[in-house]
Amino acid sequence: MIFATEEINNSTDLLPGISLGYKMYDTCSSIAKSVMVGLALANGNEVVSVPLEAPCTRPAQVQAIIGETSSSPSLAIATVIGPFYIPMISPFATCACLSDKTKYPSFLRTIPSDYYQSRALALLVKHFGWTWVGAIRSNNDYGNNGIAIFTETAQQLGICLEYSVSFFRTDLPNKIEKIIKTIKYSTSKVIVAFLSSLDMEVLVYKLSEHNLTGYQWVGSEAWVFDSQTAERDQHHILDGAIGLAIPKAHVSGMKEFIIDVKSLNSWDNKLFTEFWETLFSCKFSQSKSSAENQRECTGHEDLSGLQHSFTDMSLMPILNNVYKGVYAVAHALHNILGCNKTCKYKVKLDPFMILQSIRKIHIKTKEGDEVYFNENGDPPATYEIINWQLRDNGITDFVVVGLYDASLPADKQLSLQYKSLIWAQNSKQVPVSVCSEKCPPGTRKVLQKGKPVCCYDCIRCAEGEISTITDSITCMKCPPEFWSNERRDACVKKEAEFLSYEEMMGALLTAASLFGTCMTAVVAFIFFRYRKTPIVRANNSELSFLLLFSLTLCFLCSLTFIGRPSEWSCMLRHTAFGITFVLCISCVLGKTMVVLMAFRASLPGSNVMKWFGPTQQRLSVLVFTLIQVIICILWLTISPPFPFKNFKVIKDKIIFECALGSTLGFWAVLGYIGVLATFCFILAFLARKLPDNFNEAKFITFSMLIFCAVWITFIPAYVSSPGKFSVAVEIFAILASSFGLLVCIFIPKCYIIVLRPEENTKKNMMGKVN
């Protein structure tokens, strides 16, 4: 401050003809003393601006205050002087609470607010994937407000705090012991420390007593670039620490000014004595605190070879903030006094006027640093990211590994150089600090009861659901035509399922259908070859050939059920099946009625055959079949069957099937077949004991019994069978009932025709049963 003041006073461009005066106060970081200093300054009994030509003849009100360096004392002073609007510019008080202009209207600072630092620390923690951390804060305004903003930002970023404890260097031993135990038994490996340098020194000493090494420390600017803290970390507790620091600065001439012993001695004899004794661990002979075993100070000790934070300029960033604060006040005064070659001395200075002028300035120092304040009295927020790296000689280097600039877009604010980083215990591997490991794709997070959101279990996605990202909180359902793969991280197209000719079941049913067709053709050939024999002619050979034709169609219609359903096959399969089976049953019904009529006709005086001759038989078959044709036409017209993709029956497959369209139409077709079959069965059952040597009614009865049994059992089997098996059940029912009719009605006749030709006579056909 003195350096900047003297530089301004010696300048001919800034405040020409004006000398800045000052008074220094030591608050000793005491809030009580800070309030006293604030009250004293508010009384306005110190000179801050005097013209060179005229001596001070009256006390002048203090126009500006440079300080304090801690947040809590700054709060106290800012509260006291706020109503008087005396500008106060702090070089190192970072508490975000000081940005509240309703409470602290005259406070400004040349160091960024902790609002930005806390957010930057949270972004830094998130950047390295640390979602489970501990936090230690100074139990004052700096630490409490800083960690509060960090916690809020961390929660937004998905970071959880396992613990957050307050610490002050004067805490009782039992409280310190409790903090040590909290750290020792925690599972997090990263500790965010929002501490002052003095608090950090005491804490490191306590941690070293318990040998608590191996933790990754993330620090605030108050201690992370403090060389004294590094020097006192003899047990390497903080090795590999990473944190934020005020960007390095250089002010030409400042180092030479500071180590100039004559300048030091001329400031304040008491201040010089205390400083010199501390710096060289000696005592002046006139000093009251001189001890016998301490060497005597000469005042001519060599500062140039001394390794100390005061002489090595490690504190230059803070010193530069003081320098910029003094220049801000000087430029504000320069503008108010309308200085050009000379200044208007008679302008009455008012603290509020100076405050407004300071807020508006936008200047550059001689080193090119910009100085200006936003609406909250804060400068632009820029931090260096530094990493503690231990050299071979045991000295800790503060290596710049990145930069944080709050003025850039959110995704570009943080930049890091990974190759330069050294972590705790001299490791080059990024530490891991998580409550739960990341959930891989194919799983989702489920929070553990009673624990923070960072503690969770990884649950595998359910069937048909996937997650494609790490740490997914939900699983997405696959589209209807897709299904999850085994790893549940991708949707794959569902396998299409339908009864095909290539698979074993389809091939067997096709073979059975073709075999039935061939078998029917052979029977038809035999009947045609022996069409003039009595056994063929005995029961209307025309109906027999029509029945064989309809059976052939029944066997062949089962083939329409095999293969991928299409629009035409869906309409054909059920209608063809319904019409051919009605034609078949109509023929059997006609044959049954012929048997009954033939027996009635053999009775004396009966002329019943006149009413049921060949024409009537053909007409009955036509009428019965036409009714089914009409039912099928109505079905196809109103709501025909159509191809349908069924996603529900088998979850991981698409079942291609034919939807019935109108369920009523389907069951009307089956019901009509059932009515005819039942009627035919009843008639055949009544005619089973007619006195013929070859009574066809017995075989028709048995064939109808098989037919009805097959279709009665078909209904529950069809309803309960999934997918292609329901189609297979329907085909099996068609084939079984067709084979039943073919075997029961025609095979006994073929047996006689081919193997027992001697029984194929009219006499044998008309023989009486004994």
Side-chain angles (χ1 to χ4, degrees):
M1 188 198 72
I2 296 170
F3 170 75
T5 305
E6 291 191 4
E7 195 174 69
I8 293 165
N9 289 342
N10 293 328
S11 171
T12 55
D13 297 322
L14 187 61
L15 292 174
I18 297 290
S19 234
L20 294 178
Y22 57 85
K23 176 72 176 180
M24 287 187 289
Y25 290 89
D26 188 359
T27 64
C28 300
S29 296
S30 166
I31 295 176
K33 282 192 176 183
S34 299
V35 172
M36 290 174 63
V37 169
L39 289 171
L41 293 173
N43 287 332
N45 57 357
E46 296 296 338
V47 178
V48 296
S49 173
V50 295
L52 292 174
E53 292 83 357
C56 272
T57 58
R58 60 183 176 83
Q61 185 181 2
V62 171
Q63 305 300 336
I65 298 170
I66 305 297
E68 228 268 4
T69 52
S70 298
S71 293
S72 293
S74 295
L75 284 166
I77 297 171
T79 303
V80 171
I81 66 171
F84 302 99
Y85 294 101
I86 301 173
M88 174 181 178
I89 304 176
S90 171
F92 206 50
T94 58
C95 180
C97 54
L98 286 163
S99 296
D100 187 350
K101 296 300 106 180
T102 58
K103 292 181 179 179
Y104 315 105
S106 65
F107 180 85
L108 304 101
R109 52 186 156 197
T110 50
I111 188 171
S113 164
D114 279 340
Y115 171 80
Y116 300 102
Q117 180 177 205
S118 299
R119 292 178 66 83
L121 287 174
L123 286 171
L124 191 65
V125 170
K126 180 65 175 178
H127 182 83
F128 293 112
W130 301 325
T131 57
W132 187 238
V133 300
I136 303 177
R137 66 189 185 275
S138 288
N139 193 13
N140 53 25
D141 294 295
Y142 168 74
N144 293 330
N145 282 278
I147 213 67
I149 297 170
F150 171 83
T151 304
E152 181 184 348
T153 309
Q155 288 175 347
Q156 294 170 1
L157 296 174
I159 301 166
C160 299
L161 268 65
E162 184 180 10
Y163 59 87
S164 179
V165 294
S166 62
F167 173 78
F168 199 70
R169 50 189 175 274
T170 57
D171 280 342
L172 296 173
N174 61 339
K175 183 180 179 182
I176 296 174
E177 189 67 28
K178 189 176 180 181
I179 293 171
I180 297 295
K181 284 183 178 180
T182 300
I183 297 172
K184 192 173 184 178
Y185 295 110
S186 66
T187 57
S188 56
K189 297 299 178 185
V190 173
I191 302 173
V192 177
F194 224 98
L195 296 163
S196 68
S197 57
L198 295 175
D199 288 342
M200 194 65 192
E201 287 174 18
V202 175
L203 180 64
V204 167
Y205 175 75
K206 296 296 181 182
L207 292 173
S208 64
E209 290 180 347
H210 294 79
N211 196 29
L212 287 179
T213 60
Y215 290 91
Q216 179 60 48
W217 291 84
V218 180
S220 60
E221 96 298 335
W223 68 266
V224 86
F225 79 112
D226 182 61
S227 57
Q228 288 188 10
T229 303
E231 287 171 13
R232 294 177 184 179
D233 182 21
Q234 298 296 320
H235 293 79
H236 306 291
I237 302 294
L238 303 176
D239 282 1
I242 191 170
L244 303 179
I246 305 167
K248 286 184 174 62
H250 173 73
V251 180
S252 57
M254 186 181 288
K255 181 175 181 180
E256 292 75 15
F257 178 86
I258 287 176
I259 63 175
D260 184 355
V261 178
K262 292 180 180 178
S263 298
L264 282 172
N265 207 3
S266 66
W267 297 345
D268 185 306
N269 188 55
K270 184 180 179 182
L271 178 66
F272 169 77
T273 301
E274 184 181 346
F275 168 70
W276 203 261
E277 288 178 344
T278 304
L279 200 62
F280 291 100
S281 298
C282 62
K283 293 292 178 181
F284 285 101
S285 57
Q286 70 272 21
S287 175
K288 294 179 181 179
S289 60
S290 180
E292 292 182 3
N293 57 348
Q294 282 189 314
R295 65 185 182 85
E296 187 176 337
C297 296
T298 64
H300 300 289
E301 284 81 2
D302 186 13
L303 275 171
S304 59
L306 190 68
Q307 286 293 328
H308 191 273
S309 59
F310 184 76
T311 57
D312 65 10
M313 294 295 110
S314 61
L315 297 177
M316 183 59 84
I318 303 173
L319 305 182
N320 186 44
N321 285 346
V322 176
Y323 182 81
K324 289 191 288 187
V326 175
Y327 264 86
V329 175
H331 277 275
L333 287 169
H334 185 91
N335 295 335
I336 293 170
L337 296 174
C339 298
N340 191 0
K341 289 184 179 179
T342 59
C343 298
K344 299 174 184 178
Y345 304 131
K346 294 183 179 181
V347 174
K348 187 177 181 180
L349 294 176
D350 177 68
F352 183 75
M353 185 191 305
I354 298 174
L355 177 63
Q356 293 300 97
S357 182
I358 293 174
R359 285 176 176 172
K360 293 175 183 177
I361 67 160
H362 193 142
I363 62 171
K364 279 190 177 181
T365 65
K366 64 182 180 180
E367 306 299 338
D369 294 334
E370 287 188 288
V371 181
Y372 62 93
F373 305 95
N374 65 13
E375 65 277 6
N376 295 322
D378 298 327
T382 304
Y383 297 96
E384 287 179 344
I385 301 168
I386 65 169
N387 180 215
W388 286 31
Q389 298 184 8
L390 190 66
R391 290 192 307 206
D392 295 335
N393 59 4
I395 297 175
T396 300
D397 269 349
F398 299 151
V399 179
V400 178
V401 294
L403 187 71
Y404 175 81
D405 189 346
S407 64
L408 296 176
D411 58 335
K412 295 180 180 178
Q413 290 178 352
L414 196 68
S415 60
L416 283 161
Q417 302 166 1
Y418 272 92
K419 292 181 181 178
S420 307
L421 285 164
I422 300 294
W423 304 103
Q425 297 182 319
N426 205 33
S427 171
K428 292 193 176 182
Q429 191 72 29
V430 180
V432 176
S433 186
V434 294
C435 182
S436 301
E437 291 295 330
K438 290 181 179 292
C439 289
T443 62
R444 62 182 177 90
K445 296 198 296 187
V446 176
L447 298 182
Q448 295 176 1
K449 190 175 181 180
K451 291 189 177 182
V453 294
C454 300
C455 301
Y456 49 81
D457 296 317
C458 298
I459 305 298
R460 196 180 187 208
C461 290
E463 289 184 342
E465 296 182 349
I466 64 162
S467 65
T468 56
I469 59 173
T470 302
D471 278 345
S472 176
I473 57 173
T474 57
C475 294
M476 301 178 295
K477 282 191 175 182
C478 290
E481 295 193 15
F482 291 83
W483 193 249
S484 55
N485 61 0
E486 184 62 29
R487 295 190 302 274
R488 306 285 200 273
D489 59 0
C491 290
V492 294
K493 200 167 181 65
K494 285 182 180 180
E495 179 186 345
E497 183 177 87
F498 56 88
L499 190 61
S500 66
Y501 294 100
E502 288 79 14
E503 62 179 297
M504 180 63 71
M505 186 164 55
L508 288 174
L509 291 172
T510 302
S513 176
L514 294 176
F515 176 72
T517 304
C518 294
M519 188 175 173
T520 306
V522 170
V523 172
F525 174 75
I526 293 172
F527 265 56
F528 183 77
R529 174 72 176 77
Y530 298 97
R531 65 185 178 279
K532 296 189 184 293
T533 59
I535 199 167
V536 176
R537 297 178 63 189
N539 195 351
N540 195 333
S541 60
E542 187 177 333
L543 281 180
S544 296
F545 282 111
L546 188 58
L547 178 57
L548 287 169
F549 173 71
S550 64
L551 283 172
T552 303
L553 294 179
C554 287
F555 281 117
L556 291 175
C557 83
S558 64
L559 296 177
T560 62
F561 288 82
I562 303 174
R564 184 167 183 154
S566 62
E567 194 171 344
W568 70 267
S569 67
C570 286
M571 290 190 291
L572 179 62
R573 61 172 60 172
H574 289 109
T575 53
F577 152 69
I579 293 170
T580 54
F581 258 75
V582 165
L583 179 61
C584 183
I585 300 298
S586 299
C587 292
V588 175
L589 184 59
K591 291 175 72 67
T592 306
M593 293 180 71
V594 167
V595 173
L596 283 172
M597 295 305 117
F599 175 72
R600 294 289 183 185
S602 64
L603 296 175
S606 177
N607 61 349
V608 72
M609 286 302 292
K610 180 176 70 174
W611 302 105
F612 201 72
T615 303
Q616 286 81 4
Q617 293 171 24
R618 295 189 201 101
L619 190 60
S620 66
V621 171
L622 179 63
V623 170
F624 287 140
T625 306
L626 189 60
I627 293 171
Q628 184 73 306
V629 170
I630 292 170
I631 294 173
C632 289
I633 290 172
L634 289 172
W635 182 14
L636 294 178
T637 303
I638 298 170
S639 182
F642 57 90
F644 171 69
K645 294 178 182 178
N646 192 329
F647 301 109
K648 296 181 180 179
V649 176
I650 303 176
K651 293 180 180 178
D652 59 344
K653 292 181 180 180
I654 303 175
I655 300 173
F656 286 86
E657 60 185 21
C658 287
L660 297 176
S662 171
T663 308
L664 180 63
F666 174 71
W667 290 110
V669 168
L670 282 185
Y672 183 64
I673 295 172
V675 169
L676 288 181
T678 305
F679 184 51
C680 184
F681 173 72
I682 293 170
L683 292 180
F685 183 78
L686 294 174
R688 72 190 187 286
K689 293 185 178 180
L690 294 180
D692 281 343
N693 236 8
F694 188 81
N695 187 356
E696 193 172 27
K698 293 178 181 178
F699 301 112
I700 292 173
T701 304
F702 192 59
S703 68
M704 285 296 102
L705 189 62
I706 294 173
F707 185 92
C708 293
V710 166
W711 286 102
I712 289 171
T713 54
F714 158 77
I715 294 171
Y718 178 80
V719 171
S720 61
S721 298
K724 63 183 179 182
F725 296 102
S726 63
V727 179
V729 166
E730 193 167 356
I731 295 172
F732 178 78
I734 292 170
L735 294 177
S737 54
S738 299
F739 274 113
L741 290 172
L742 180 64
V743 171
C744 292
I745 295 175
F746 292 101
I747 294 304
K749 295 180 180 181
C750 290
Y751 174 76
I752 293 172
I753 292 170
V754 177
L755 300 177
R756 296 287 182 90
E758 68 277 5
E759 294 181 9
N760 190 5
T761 62
K762 188 175 181 180
K763 181 180 177 181
N764 190 59
M765 293 298 105
M766 299 300 293
K768 302 293 182 182
V769 180
N770 294 329

